[in-house]
């Protein structure tokens, strides 16, 4: 399963990318609006750091506007993926942009029916928002299971990009279900490294090693 960073913060992206486990980045208007500087320059920098798919979202809500902004975003860098919302105009723009060879990530997906439309429109990625479903007392991971099943049934090439991940269990469940990608905030990726037994075990190994060397010296 691929791991994407859900952030527009260059420093966070640089730090995690340097470890060598990051396959791509997703952004959205909220994330990009938190960062200083021109958003196009920031997206360009992110592409140079990660050298993998980087999603930039349109803010137009009509078909013509989405097409215009989609072309603009696609021209930033060859790694750019155009993100469109799962609306009628978004699905129409997905079909048209995909037809031109531009990769499209259909975002704000909250049902399997919506995911089916995105696949039929040639989306490269579908983004079910699991955390936001959990927030309204609906199991977000069940939606991922349904989408993976439907895409497998018909061999749709659209990749399932699990979004709005809030904790490591989302990531582990996504991997067990066979989702293609998880996109997570940097803090959630950091949590993946942690296990108290690893810390305790390492401390003991180092202490024993030190003790043995002191004994040899004495
Ligand atoms: C994904 O592409 C979105 O940017 C993101 O995962 C939304 O997450 P949130 O629900 O935590 O804002």
């Amino acid at each position: 399963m691929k791991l994407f960073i859900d952030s527009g913060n260059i420093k966070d992206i640089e730090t995690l990318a340097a470890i060598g486990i990051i396959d791509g980045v997703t952004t959205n208007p909220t994330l990009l609006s938190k960062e200083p500087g021109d958003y196009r320059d920031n997206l360009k920098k992110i592409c140079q750091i990660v050298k993998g798919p980087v999603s930039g979202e349109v803010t137009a809500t009509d078909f013509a506007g989405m097409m215009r902004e989609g072309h603009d975003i696609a021209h930033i860098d060859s790694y750019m993926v155009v993100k469109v919302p799962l609306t009628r105009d978004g699905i129409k723009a997905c079909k048209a942009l995909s037809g031109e060879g531009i990769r499209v990530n259909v975002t704000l997906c909250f049902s399997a029916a919506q995911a089916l439309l995105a696949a039929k429109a040639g989306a490269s990625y579908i983004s079910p928002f699991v955390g936001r479903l959990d927030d309204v007392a609906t199991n977000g991971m069940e939606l991922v299971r349904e989408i993976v099943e439907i895409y497998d049934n018909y061999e749709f090439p659209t990749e399932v990009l699990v979004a709005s991940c809030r904790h490591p269990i989302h990531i582990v469940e996504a991997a067990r279900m066979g989702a293609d990608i998880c996109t997570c905030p940097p803090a959630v990726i950091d949590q993946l490294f942690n296990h108290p037994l690893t810390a305790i075990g390492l401390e003991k190994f180092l202490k024993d090693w030190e003790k043995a060397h002191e004994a040899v010296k004495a």
Side-chain angles (χ1 to χ4, degrees), residues 31 152-153 164:
L31 292 171
D152 280 354
N153 283 348
S164 186

Side-chain angles (χ1 to χ4, degrees), residues 6 26-28 31 83 107 127 129 132 163-166 183:
D6 194 28
T26 50
T27 67
N28 63 41
L31 292 171
K83 217 176 182 190
T107 190
S127 291
F129 275 37
R132 292 193 194 187
S164 186
C165 289
R166 301 276 163 81
T183 188

Side-chain angles (χ1 to χ4, degrees), residues 53-121:
V54 175
S55 290
E57 189 165 340
V58 300
T59 51
T61 54
D62 64 301
F63 173 72
M66 286 185 194
M67 291 301 289
R68 200 174 48 248
E69 289 182 15
H71 288 135
D72 213 45
I73 290 167
H75 279 122
I76 293 173
D77 193 283
S78 59
Y79 285 119
M80 285 306 301
V81 172
V82 176
K83 217 176 182 190
V84 300
L86 212 153
T87 58
R88 279 171 191 263
D89 285 48
I91 290 296
K92 192 174 167 191
C94 173
K95 178 78 183 176
L97 291 166
S98 301
E100 294 175 19
I102 294 172
R103 286 177 299 170
V104 178
N105 174 0
V106 178
T107 190
L108 291 168
C109 171
F110 294 98
S111 79
Q114 290 180 319
L116 182 61
L117 295 178
K120 289 187 65 66

Side-chain angles (χ1 to χ4, degrees), residues 121-169:
S124 295
Y125 307 97
I126 182 70
S127 291
F129 275 37
V130 297
R132 292 193 194 187
L133 277 172
D134 291 352
D135 290 344
V136 293
T138 302
N139 188 339
M141 292 312 299
E142 269 314 304
L143 171 59
V144 174
R145 194 190 301 283
E146 287 176 15
I147 299 173
V148 168
E149 183 189 357
I150 291 167
Y151 283 11
D152 280 354
N153 283 348
Y154 297 99
E155 295 179 358
F156 283 123
T158 306
E159 293 189 68
V160 181
L161 196 173
V162 180
S164 186
C165 289
R166 301 276 163 81
H167 47 69
I169 295 174

